[in-house]
Amino acid sequence: MVQPHASPLLGFAGGVKTRGYVDLMTTFGQGQLYLLVDANTLYFSLISRKTLNEFRAIVSTSHLKMRFPTLTREIVAIKADQKQEG
């Protein structure tokens, strides 16, 4: 269920109006709040630096890849396909 959230998302494209948020259980093992925005972007989801640090994730935008350790200490790599991006 979408909850109200009136504060704009600052620092992203100069400021974007939020439409609300949802609280979802994710495979990261904890609930995460996801802000819903109207923005012209190729991204489906934006993860804050604070959250990336909590996940101990390493992001390479030039390689379109993110790596992070799991609870069992395996390293997971997520890679985007640039041909599908644009």
Side-chain angles (χ1 to χ4, degrees), residues 47-59 69:
I47 303 173
S48 72
R49 288 185 204 125
K50 179 183 176 202
T51 301
L52 290 171
N53 288 334
E54 289 174 0
F55 296 153
R56 297 177 40 217
I58 298 171
V59 178

Side-chain angles (χ1 to χ4, degrees), residues 21-85:
Y21 74 90
V22 291
D23 188 1
L24 300 174
M25 192 57 123
T26 64
T27 57
F28 297 126
Q30 56 188 340
Q32 295 291 319
L33 296 179
Y34 290 87
L35 286 175
L36 306 175
V37 299
D38 281 325
N40 186 15
T41 177
L42 296 175
Y43 300 102
F44 293 111
S45 178
L46 299 172
I47 303 173
S48 72
R49 288 185 204 125
K50 179 183 176 202
T51 301
L52 290 171
N53 288 334
E54 289 174 0
F55 296 153
R56 297 177 40 217
I58 298 171
V59 178
S60 172
T61 53
S62 61
H63 294 100
L64 300 176
K65 188 181 279 189
M66 180 173 83
R67 291 179 184 240
F68 57 93
T70 66
L71 294 175
T72 59
R73 299 184 184 200
E74 296 176 80
I75 302 297
V76 174
I78 300 172
K79 182 165 178 32
D81 183 352
Q82 191 171 21
K83 293 176 186 172
Q84 292 181 355
E85 295 296 322

